[in-house]
Amino acid sequence: MILTLVTDIGDVPAARWDTLSAQAGLYLSHRWLAAQQQDPTARVHYALVHDDGHLVAAAPLYVVDTEPNDLYRVHELLPGRAPARTLLAGARRGYLNAPLLHPLLTPARRREALDRLVTAAGTLAAAENAVPWWLYVSDEAAAELADACGTKPVQLNQDARIPLPGTTFDDYLAALPSKRRVTIRRERRAFAEAGYERRTLRLSECADTAGALAAQLQARHGHPADPAVMAAILRDQAEGMADSGTVHAAFTGRHMVAFSLAYHHAGTVWLRSTGYDYARLRGAHEYFNLVYYLPIEDAYAHGATALHLGMESLRAKVLRGATASPLWAVEGG
């Protein structure tokens, strides 16, 4: 097996990369990583492992110069860690990560390919005087990766997704306990009776307004955010993702009062962002409809089989049918 490093994911054919990343999800897809690689707060390399000319393993490697997101600062995530320069292996945004390994590798070849990725992360980290970490590693990959790194995984959080059986929203409801079905029908009815105009938009059409609402949500949860910065992030995301996101929005007159942004990838709808104009909301039901029910309807309409919800608010997600799995931090050895 041959290990190489490149600095532009455009040098890797998207189809080859996404053969590896299909099971890992949106945040390790070729398009998402390409949209992120111009972030000035880190310098990225892509570790590529080839076997007989075939790409069999890969991982982005980010040498972090400045980390604006406190949920990616290792010393704030793990007790007893002093601030140190970090090399983040794998996905740097999205809170879901795994080394990318070809699904047809034999166990021995899989371990050899994984060892190559771990070595690449360690070598680059040493050259940059940094500590290598894999953050938010999925439950399936954590033990395997920790064994290759010679370290122990540390749980950070939990990831949530709602499996979507059948082909319609009624099939989703039928899989839930009767009391939950009653609650969901009531929340959907309240949203309909509130009189909002529902619109489905492209992100490029509403990035500025959505950014302002996302900033309100951040401030409400103790993370003050500049609306202009949030809007710029969403504009850049629309451009980098070829405007492939779906925005579900609720309007009163000309005012957008709530939105959610999601992406379709590998048979799953990935909820990415949401926001609210709290002064104009008419009830508590907007959150449940924008985050769960409208994306679920959209998922069924496009043949998706799951809605990915990510971290936080776990109880509300589980009550609406989500399954949870641990997310781990693994020191890179």
Side-chain angles (χ1 to χ4, degrees):
M1 291 186 177
I2 299 173
L3 171 71
T4 58
L5 293 180
V6 300
T7 56
D8 186 346
I9 198 170
D11 293 336
V12 186
R16 292 188 181 184
W17 184 280
D18 285 338
T19 296
L20 302 183
S21 69
Q23 298 303 312
L26 174 68
Y27 302 119
L28 279 160
S29 68
H30 192 279
R31 174 174 282 181
W32 179 266
L33 294 173
Q36 301 296 313
Q37 74 176 1
Q38 300 305 319
D39 185 332
T41 63
R43 292 171 286 116
V44 62
H45 299 71
Y46 302 91
L48 310 174
V49 180
H50 288 86
D51 187 20
D52 195 24
H54 299 286
L55 182 64
V56 297
L61 305 174
Y62 295 92
V63 181
V64 180
D65 295 315
T66 304
E67 182 51 75
N69 186 339
D70 56 1
L71 293 178
Y72 277 92
R73 297 178 195 142
V74 173
H75 68 280
E76 296 185 20
L77 290 171
L78 302 175
R81 295 281 173 176
R85 192 172 198 195
T86 301
L87 180 138
L88 286 180
R92 188 181 175 216
R93 294 291 181 259
Y95 313 111
L96 188 61
N97 194 13
L100 301 182
L101 299 162
H102 198 287
L104 297 183
L105 288 172
T106 66
R109 300 297 276 172
R110 180 181 177 89
R111 177 55 184 265
E112 183 179 354
L114 180 57
D115 286 344
R116 294 285 197 278
L117 296 181
V118 170
T119 297
T123 301
L124 182 59
E128 296 285 347
N129 195 28
V131 180
W133 282 92
W134 302 73
L135 298 183
Y136 303 103
V137 178
S138 61
D139 196 33
E140 296 82 359
E144 181 181 28
L145 181 58
D147 185 58
C149 293
T151 56
K152 293 184 178 180
V154 180
Q155 187 172 345
L156 296 177
N157 210 311
Q158 294 191 76
D159 186 58
R161 70 174 59 218
I162 297 177
L164 300 177
T167 58
T168 68
F169 194 93
D170 286 340
D171 294 323
Y172 156 69
L173 279 181
L176 300 175
S178 59
K179 288 185 178 180
R180 296 310 311 163
R181 295 198 296 269
V182 169
T183 298
I184 291 170
R185 291 190 180 105
R186 183 173 65 248
E187 290 167 345
R188 281 163 61 81
R189 186 168 57 250
F191 184 66
E193 292 172 351
Y196 294 113
E197 178 189 354
R198 286 171 45 180
R199 300 183 194 174
T200 302
L201 305 169
R202 296 190 304 273
L203 181 56
S204 63
E205 297 177 284
C206 60
D208 288 355
T209 305
L213 299 191
Q216 285 198 41
L217 174 68
Q218 291 293 316
R220 194 177 184 90
H221 290 275
H223 304 286
D226 184 340
V229 172
M230 297 298 290
I233 290 172
L234 292 180
R235 287 196 302 269
D236 290 346
Q237 190 176 127
E239 181 179 357
M241 294 293 287
D243 217 6
S244 58
T246 299
V247 175
H248 298 285
F251 280 77
T252 58
R254 61 187 179 87
H255 298 288
M256 180 195 287
V257 299
F259 85 94
S260 64
L261 166 66
Y263 291 92
H264 293 260
H265 177 75
T268 294
V269 169
W270 299 76
L271 185 72
R272 178 60 197 165
S273 182
T274 185
Y276 308 91
D277 184 344
Y278 291 97
R280 289 190 168 94
L281 295 185
R282 297 173 177 174
H285 46 73
E286 293 91 350
Y287 171 81
F288 303 115
N289 281 272
L290 270 294
V291 170
Y292 302 109
Y293 312 141
L294 296 183
I296 286 174
E297 289 179 352
D298 185 53
Y300 276 119
H302 290 85
T305 58
L307 171 64
H308 180 264
L309 297 166
M311 305 189 306
E312 311 303 341
S313 304
L314 193 62
R315 183 174 183 275
K317 294 170 182 176
V318 170
L319 287 174
R320 285 158 183 83
T323 58
S325 59
L327 296 171
W328 305 86
V330 179
E331 189 171 359

